[in-house]
Amino acid sequence: MILLSRAVKIILFLIFFVVFFEAGLFASYTIVTQQAPNPADLIEMQINGVTSLLNLGPKIATQKDITILNENEVVDALKAKTGIDGINLQSLKATTYQDTSADTITVNLTAMGYKDSQTGGTTGNASSGPIVIKSNETYSITATAVGTPKNKGVQIDVNSIVITATRVLYNS
């Protein structure tokens, strides 16, 4: 019988461990997603996870809340771009992942909006039925914009606001 040195045994054990670990990962990915795995993406995900644990790769960016200096102009622009009746000013939030010491930064905006709806009533001298006022429709608005950092917050360029999502939260 051939005697293997201790180092060769350890190397073989590590190789078998990695092979069985990868086989298990691929099998579990297939079971969970019911799709064939992409080996390159799975291996890259593992490498990124290990390097972030060991602080070898790039740091994971953290989201920072920032103060909007021109809130009223931003609210008016959001109302105009979404076509809703109003924005709750207390719900307007701005966040960024970028360094606020740069000249311009990309800002993520979120807000809650509402729309009133009314049907019926009179039009001119004619009556078109009873007045029916529906409950407010509530919306969640997500947008991106370019801002200029100042010493107490960020000045949003209202012309750069792009609505990324408008979701109806309540509609009666």
Side-chain angles (χ1 to χ4, degrees):
M1 185 169 167
I2 301 174
L3 295 176
L4 297 175
S5 71
R6 187 173 182 95
V8 173
K9 287 180 184 178
I10 292 173
I11 291 172
L12 283 176
F13 174 77
L14 291 175
I15 290 172
F16 285 130
F17 178 78
V18 168
V19 167
F20 283 116
F21 178 79
E22 292 298 321
L25 179 69
F26 281 78
S28 63
Y29 181 88
T30 304
I31 291 169
V32 169
T33 64
Q34 298 179 354
Q35 296 176 358
N38 182 351
D41 288 344
L42 285 176
I43 292 171
E44 181 181 350
M45 177 192 65
Q46 293 173 41
I47 292 171
N48 288 341
V50 170
T51 55
S52 68
L53 285 175
L54 301 175
N55 292 328
L56 298 176
K59 302 288 186 214
I60 297 174
T62 57
Q63 185 173 335
K64 296 178 274 282
D65 291 337
I66 48 179
T67 304
I68 301 172
L69 299 177
N70 57 338
E71 288 179 328
N72 292 329
E73 292 86 6
V74 171
V75 165
D76 291 340
L78 288 174
K79 286 185 346 187
K81 291 180 187 261
T82 58
I84 62 174
D85 294 331
I87 302 277
N88 182 348
L89 192 58
Q90 286 78 25
S91 70
L92 181 62
K93 302 284 183 240
T95 58
T96 187
Y97 287 99
Q98 296 179 330
D99 183 15
T100 54
S101 63
D103 291 339
T104 60
I105 57 173
T106 302
V107 178
N108 299 317
L109 301 169
T110 57
M112 300 294 288
Y114 61 89
K115 183 185 266 188
D116 293 327
S117 60
Q118 176 180 334
T119 59
T122 58
T123 54
N125 292 331
S127 176
S128 62
I131 296 174
V132 178
I133 300 174
K134 289 174 55 178
S135 299
N136 288 343
E137 295 175 344
T138 306
Y139 294 87
S140 171
I141 302 160
T142 307
T144 59
V146 175
T148 306
K150 304 286 183 186
N151 58 354
K152 295 191 185 236
V154 66
Q155 182 83 22
I156 303 292
D157 178 11
V158 293
N159 296 323
S160 70
I161 295 176
V162 175
I163 305 298
T164 56
T166 303
R167 295 173 293 281
V168 177
L169 300 178
Y170 175 77
N171 184 5
S172 62

